[in-house]
Amino acid sequence: MTDKPSSPTPGRITLVGAGPGDPELLTLKAVRAIQRASVILVDDLVSDAILAHANPDARITYVGKRGGCKSTPQATIEQLMLEAVRAGEDVVRLKGGDPFIFGRGGEEVESLRAAGIEPIVVNGITAGLAALTSLGAPLTHREHAQGVVFVTGHPQKNGPGVDWARLAASASDLRLTLVIYMGISSAPRIQAGLLQGLPADTPVAVIERATLPAQRQCLTTLGELVHDLANSGLGSPAIVVVGNVVLGVKAALRELAAAA
Ligand code: SAH
């Protein structure tokens, strides 16, 4: 009697949100997926404390801009994911925050589906949510904001980009909080556009490395944003929150900002 050749184990892939940085903000699903993975493809903005959950035998590949290296092209990342799944690996694609908020998670799902693979997706706490929470303030409030807009400040290569003046008019009319990702390098353009529809004294918070030990923040107004940002020396990765909800930041931080 001969042994039957074993059929290759089908691989699987899980897109996992690593949350904003604090490893305690991982979901249980995220931890379990990381623990059982045999291959992990890691983005920037995912801390080592999170990778400490990985199996010591797991193959971990960094595809972000760590150590000043150029980031891996998106097509290469998608190719790496496909090859690993096809080789029967239990693949985790670990992304900062939530995989479906500005993380190109949507593109990765599309490319996997085009190859006949349906990924599992595990949400993470997105930086835009964690940033203001870390200062003790909510993103919505019955008196200040009846909705939230998550928007990218990164100018699109071939697209028209965000119409900041129009967004400001809507935020003013509809009482919306604006949560801007990747907005630091475009802050002057964002400020100029938003000032066309929102008052100069609209409260603004900029939060760098939210939830990480190195977190820093700057509390300012729309009119002073670029000036105060330059003085504070804050840089990427940071979230800019615009709206009256920023008034809910804990008192100790407001006093510090006022004294600065
Ligand atoms: N998928 C991620 C966002 C990726 S885009 C998420 O859901 O959070 C990258 C941008 O996210 C950064 O430029 C910055 O604007 C923001 N970001 C990510 N982590 C952050 C953190 N810990 N603190 C502040 N901003 C952060």
Side-chain angles (χ1 to χ4, degrees):
M1 210 175 96
T2 52
D3 284 342
K4 270 204 285 179
S6 57
S7 57
T9 353
R12 66 174 161 187
I13 175 149
T14 313
L15 267 65
V16 176
D22 177 354
E24 296 280 307
L25 289 175
L26 279 172
T27 64
L28 289 176
K29 273 198 176 184
V31 171
R32 286 184 186 134
I34 295 166
Q35 284 171 338
R36 62 157 206 255
S38 56
V39 168
I40 307 183
L41 299 171
V42 191
D43 258 359
D44 274 344
L45 305 176
V46 174
S47 65
D48 292 339
I50 286 169
L51 284 169
H53 290 289
N55 184 314
D57 295 331
R59 187 151 45 86
I60 299 177
T61 306
Y62 293 93
V63 293
K65 292 177 194 145
R66 283 202 165 196
C69 302
K70 281 195 92 172
S71 61
T72 313
Q74 189 63 24
T76 311
I77 297 174
E78 288 166 11
Q79 192 58 37
L80 286 172
M81 295 194 300
L82 268 181
E83 281 169 11
V85 183
R86 284 181 175 150
E89 304 285 357
D90 190 335
V91 186
V92 157
R93 172 78 176 103
L94 194 55
K95 303 172 80 72
D98 183 87
F100 278 175
I101 300 283
F102 303 125
R104 304 189 77 167
E107 287 162 63
E108 290 175 9
V109 167
E110 282 163 18
S111 98
L112 287 162
R113 277 190 192 143
I117 296 162
E118 186 61 41
I120 303 160
V121 182
V122 175
N123 284 122
I125 296 181
T126 188
L129 174 58
L132 202 60
T133 301
S134 75
L135 307 185
L139 287 179
T140 66
H141 189 288
R142 266 154 63 107
E143 280 166 30
H144 300 309
Q146 54 186 6
V148 186
V149 179
F150 287 168
V151 59
T152 172
H154 195 261
Q156 272 182 306
K157 263 202 189 118
N158 303 311
V162 176
D163 184 335
W164 296 103
R166 248 176 101 184
L167 187 58
S170 307
S172 169
D173 282 357
L174 307 173
R175 296 195 303 138
L176 304 175
T177 302
L178 302 180
V179 177
I180 306 167
Y181 292 66
M182 297 170 274
I184 299 298
S185 54
S186 306
R189 202 167 47 84
I190 294 171
Q191 179 190 38
L194 291 181
L195 278 171
Q196 292 179 51
L198 282 166
D201 63 358
T202 306
V204 175
V206 183
I207 306 108
E208 180 198 272
R209 293 181 200 281
T211 81
L212 286 161
Q215 173 170 339
R216 297 191 297 163
Q217 57 274 326
C218 162
L219 298 178
T220 178
T221 58
L222 196 50
E224 296 298 321
L225 172 61
V226 169
H227 176 260
D228 286 354
L229 202 51
N231 280 346
S232 69
L234 261 61
S236 230
I239 291 286
V240 180
V241 183
V242 181
N244 286 333
V245 287
V246 171
L247 297 171
V249 165
K250 32 188 182 210
L253 289 171
R254 273 187 282 123
E255 281 158 22
L256 269 179

